[in-house]
Amino acid sequence: MASRQWKKEGTRISVKGIEIGGDDLFVIAGPCAVESEEQLDHIAAFVSEHGVPFLRGGAYKPRTSPYSFQGLQKEGLRLLQQASLKYGLGIITEVMDLSLLDEVYPYTDIIQVGSRNMKNYHFLKELGKVDKPVLLKRGMDATIEEWLLAAEYLLVGGNEKVILCERGIRTFDDSTRNTMDIASISLAKELSHLPVIADPSQGTGSSSLIKPLSMAAIVANADGLMIEVHHNPDEALSDGPQSVNFGQFKDMIPGINASARVMGKKSPLVFSKKEKVLNF
Amino acid sequence: MASRQWKKEGTRISVKGIEIGGDDLFVIAGPCAVESEEQLDHIAAFVSEHGVPFLRGGAYKPRTSPYSFQGLQKEGLRLLQQASLKYGLGIITEVMDLSLLDEVYPYTDIIQVGSRNMKNYHFLKELGKVDKPVLLKRGMDATIEEWLLAAEYLLVGGNEKVILCERGIRTFDDSTRNTMDIASISLAKELSHLPVIADPSQGTGSSSLIKPLSMAAIVANADGLMIEVHHNPDEALSDGPQSVNFGQFKDMIPGINASARVMGKKSPLVFSKKEKVLNF
Amino acid sequence: MASRQWKKEGTRISVKGIEIGGDDLFVIAGPCAVESEEQLDHIAAFVSEHGVPFLRGGAYKPRTSPYSFQGLQKEGLRLLQQASLKYGLGIITEVMDLSLLDEVYPYTDIIQVGSRNMKNYHFLKELGKVDKPVLLKRGMDATIEEWLLAAEYLLVGGNEKVILCERGIRTFDDSTRNTMDIASISLAKELSHLPVIADPSQGTGSSSLIKPLSMAAIVANADGLMIEVHHNPDEALSDGPQSVNFGQFKDMIPGINASARVMGKKSPLVFSKKEKVLNF
Amino acid sequence: MASRQWKKEGTRISVKGIEIGGDDLFVIAGPCAVESEEQLDHIAAFVSEHGVPFLRGGAYKPRTSPYSFQGLQKEGLRLLQQASLKYGLGIITEVMDLSLLDEVYPYTDIIQVGSRNMKNYHFLKELGKVDKPVLLKRGMDATIEEWLLAAEYLLVGGNEKVILCERGIRTFDDSTRNTMDIASISLAKELSHLPVIADPSQGTGSSSLIKPLSMAAIVANADGLMIEVHHNPDEALSDGPQSVNFGQFKDMIPGINASARVMGKKSPLVFSKKEKVLNF
């Protein structure tokens, strides 16, 4: 059911007045983790001012070490909701486990399934029954076939609003945090009718590579981007080195917009929402 | 807390009269999936006759494709319990998701966490509160440090009965289903006080390699083995090629027992329980 | 010496009136292997007509199996020279082994070091003494640091005309022949002053992915492309599936040219050299 | 020709009175690189005293960085010869490049092809014409099929004295220097009639893992071992951390000998040659 043979034309998903998989580039931005009211408000104001329609932010953080910051949890969800209302942003946040679904559901517009859960098939089956879109990150050890079969679990369950997200795979080369598999985006678009977006923050782990890899993903046929932004990456409680700061984010806009134009897509990013001008 | 620096001597875990991590080789055997009463009875009788103390068998099967056999579920648990009582075998089976923990808990002596769940930290935190031993399979994309940190989630939560299980990692070489990382067993034993066992069935995916890799794991310091056995691998509903048949299992006994003896360990395997003789 | 710290501005290499590493996109195209006079003439005429300045073609083919076609060898070199003279194309071909250097040297403008030789340090030392540019392919198991250190062998030896070429690395995912590491291009450009080009034919092994990955490489900061073209990929004696045919090559031109323009680079590709018009 | 289907019984290679691939475990030991007359004499005396029949030592060292120690070259070869005569040891050393073959040939009993050269097919073809045994290390990015096809190049060329050597592959896990693929030994023995040995020094890069992995390789069906020994690993000019010191080497003898006995093989290692007693 995820296959292009099953459905020729690309699936378009509408949520919060935004269409994903169509002519508009879909852009998600925000911090890795929700850290405080001030932090989230500051970042939400910034991304909103630059045309980003969706805010990301982890409330529950799955961390490799039990001694790392684990997220604000319920309070984090409340802060996301507050920022959403204040700035008119859609919300995407991760549901780490089926047992947390009921808690997170009311606060998010798109449910994120993390790469660590891509092969949690019991979880995927249950998400197949949910009526909100699901962003399915590729597992860092998943082949493209396995990724599409994971999407199949959601589709078979009845949820047709599935967005795929490439976020890098694990390889021998530790020059970058993960190896961003740009060809997987083109191939997933070829094999499947589902929208595919890219997460170059997780994919590279390095702020200086987010701009070129965002552009690469777009011309390789991605429908959107998910970018980690932080007003002060050096002090972020989680994954600072893979976030861009405000200046870096603004520097990316011309390249992202020009890449979108090459593909006949319209980017929502602007230097200032008030002016509504693309200064390229 | 998983570190040897924290606790010098090796942890020994007692369950169903068996001690894991001590002088006895711990052996688990059984089918990949519980398929029917006849199948499980047949296999349980066989493994019991050859001295195996613990029976494995999946009741809920996490399959890559939603169209594959997904397990007998509750009925599978009941069959495992029945075989356990009839043959005096301990039971180990996988809990695929936190939401299934209450259902599976009463039927199993050891809770298996599959490799796909090794990084499901929310799940691990909850299992830290459980009073039964947990077998923690290494994720196929997990470094040894990440594996030990996953164990840390269980230990921090209060569950000190953690058994590590190496089951192969994913590499470029598809000559074998996974690449069995024998050095990870030796290294995990060096770095941690927890018992470590090996699963050469998943680790190689090939019945002819299970014997040499079982022996290799033992002399590399493994505390035990988990082996998939099926009376008719060609007709198994799940992962047939990586199961040994009864004849192959018997052929492995001398090599396994001799390898255990090299390490000063006692293997429970016998050609016939009645005779209680090791015909090596 | 390969480092940006050693030399701030990017190295520009002039060969046959073409500047590599500057404002022009460098494009190499041609067959995987030279197969016959007709084949090479046909392809050379085509690529020349579309503005490609350099012709590639293997005369000695390093094949995984000794039973595969091993190249026309000396005769292949002669055919490359003939096509070069007839169509005014530069030539790049691989030197498989130091012992073949003297034989190949007079026929080629750029010496290609294959990925299998990237760690053949004795060979690299000798190539450091040569006065022709060297295209150094990244080994499929090489980290970026190892790749730059291999370039260092050439530079230390006295040859400063080194062009790096990313051609995909080997990972667990066999959905594509190799995994094209687009981030490595951006990172190599960041760390080194040397020109970096991309080989999406070897990198993906799939004709349908060559266009999106070519575009991705360009916006990720590549200085050029190396593309396998064959008039009849289905009958190619070597690596047919990773070659584009003439129609596919023409389809790529607008996307490649537009991507180059995003980066402020000028692409040499045209629909017809006679018209010298970019029909985009 | 490398296949078991082509030749049922295992190939036995005789060199310097030693038979490889038969009932005796073949053991090679010595330093990573020949550093000085004192160093080599000291180590050769030690390994000889403990029954090792073959001495290893690099004269030309292929190093990742051009700024690292590159070997004593010709002088290193002379020192190997001198030690060979003094202690009655066979010699194995690497030929880094075809152009060095004539230089190295007279000094070595077995020609080593390094993992970096496993896919240098031109080189392999030429070695097919040589009348000395070749030890073919597996490339760190080579599948088992590619490894056997590389051996095929030698066999087709006429050299039937090929010894395979597993030395670890490159994977995402950097807990060990490489990932020792023990299953590849069992599988290569199953698929091919050629002798297979293991190099746990390169395979793990860690002195504490050499003992367990040596034992694992033997019970997984290896015909021999290649072990790096240095009297003072901390001061070795090359790869110190992966060498065992004299005490560690002696500690390995009982485990290695017992593992060989499990496989019905005879190990040449003794605590003291004078006593010719296996103190196990």
Side-chain angles (χ1 to χ4, degrees), chain A residues 98-117:
Chain A
L98 185 50
S99 63
L100 294 168
L101 179 57
D102 289 346
E103 194 165 313
V104 178
Y105 180 87
Y107 293 91
T108 195
D109 298 302
I110 301 178
I111 293 164
Q112 179 177 325
V113 175
S115 52
R116 293 178 177 108
N117 268 324

Side-chain angles (χ1 to χ4, degrees), chain C residues 115 137 167-168 177-178 199-205 228 239 242:
Chain C
S115 52
K137 290 210 164 187
R167 46 76 71 209
R177 182 168 174 186
N178 293 289
D199 177 346
S201 303
Q202 266 195 312
T204 66
E228 293 185 15
D239 286 341
Q242 72 188 31

Side-chain angles (χ1 to χ4, degrees), chain C residues 141-214:
Chain C
D141 65 347
T143 63
I144 293 172
E145 190 192 1
E146 291 170 340
W147 190 22
L148 296 180
L149 283 169
E152 197 77 9
Y153 269 96
L154 294 163
L155 296 170
V156 165
N159 189 340
E160 298 186 351
K161 297 175 184 165
V162 180
I163 304 154
L164 300 170
C165 180
E166 156 65 16
R167 46 76 71 209
I169 55 172
R170 192 162 254 198
T171 71
F172 68 85
D173 192 4
D174 55 4
S175 310
T176 48
R177 182 168 174 186
N178 293 289
T179 297
M180 188 92 191
D181 183 5
I182 293 291
S184 78
I185 297 170
S186 313
L187 191 53
K189 289 290 291 179
E190 193 179 309
L191 297 174
S192 171
H193 55 82
L194 297 171
V196 181
I197 74 167
D199 177 346
S201 303
Q202 266 195 312
T204 66
S206 168
S207 61
S208 71
L209 296 173
I210 295 174
K211 178 182 170 184
L213 273 291
S214 292

Side-chain angles (χ1 to χ4, degrees), chain C residues 1 62-67 70 96-100 116-117 119-123 125 140-143 146 149 152-153 156 170, chain D residues 1 62-67 70 96-100 116-117 119-123 125 140-143 146 149 152-153 156 170:
Chain C
M1 287 176 69
R63 304 300 294 279
T64 307
S65 164
Y67 306 114
Q70 307 277 325
M96 272 186 70
D97 189 90
L98 185 51
S99 64
L100 295 167
R116 291 178 177 109
N117 269 324
K119 295 185 184 174
N120 189 337
Y121 300 117
H122 186 78
F123 184 29
K125 275 185 200 170
M140 61 183 170
D141 65 347
T143 63
E146 291 170 340
L149 283 169
E152 197 77 9
Y153 269 96
V156 165
R170 192 162 254 198
Chain D
M1 286 175 71
R63 305 299 296 279
T64 307
S65 164
Y67 306 115
Q70 306 278 326
M96 273 185 68
D97 188 273
L98 185 51
S99 63
L100 294 168
R116 292 179 178 108
N117 269 323
K119 295 186 182 172
N120 189 338
Y121 300 117
H122 185 78
F123 184 30
K125 276 185 199 171
M140 62 183 168
D141 65 347
T143 63
E146 290 170 340
L149 282 169
E152 197 78 10
Y153 269 96
V156 165
R170 192 162 254 196

Side-chain angles (χ1 to χ4, degrees), chain A residues 19 60 91 121 172 209 220 233 248 273 279:
Chain A
E19 193 187 55
Y60 302 79
I91 294 294
Y121 300 117
F172 70 84
L209 297 172
Q248 290 168 322
K273 218 160 122 184
N279 305 314

Side-chain angles (χ1 to χ4, degrees), chain B residues 117-236:
Chain B
N117 269 323
M118 194 211 84
K119 295 186 183 173
N120 188 338
Y121 300 117
H122 185 78
F123 183 31
L124 297 179
K125 275 185 199 170
E126 295 302 315
L127 286 175
K129 302 172 189 162
V130 170
D131 63 356
K132 290 194 173 176
V134 171
L135 182 93
L136 181 65
K137 290 211 162 184
R138 181 179 176 194
M140 61 182 167
D141 65 347
T143 63
I144 293 172
E145 190 191 2
E146 290 170 341
W147 190 22
L148 297 179
L149 282 169
E152 197 78 10
Y153 269 96
L154 295 163
L155 296 169
V156 164
N159 189 339
E160 298 186 350
K161 297 173 183 166
V162 179
I163 304 154
L164 300 170
C165 180
E166 157 64 17
R167 45 76 72 207
I169 56 172
R170 191 162 255 196
T171 72
F172 69 84
D173 192 3
D174 53 4
S175 311
T176 47
R177 183 168 173 184
N178 293 288
T179 296
M180 190 91 190
D181 184 5
I182 294 291
S184 78
I185 297 170
S186 312
L187 190 53
K189 289 291 292 180
E190 193 179 309
L191 297 174
S192 171
H193 54 83
L194 297 171
V196 181
I197 74 167
D199 177 347
S201 303
Q202 267 195 313
T204 66
S206 168
S207 61
S208 71
L209 296 173
I210 294 174
K211 179 182 170 184
L213 273 291
S214 292
M215 294 168 66
I218 293 170
V219 300
N221 216 7
D223 294 293
L225 297 171
M226 182 180 225
I227 296 170
E228 293 186 17
V229 187
H230 198 282
H231 59 291
N232 192 347
D234 293 342
E235 295 187 3

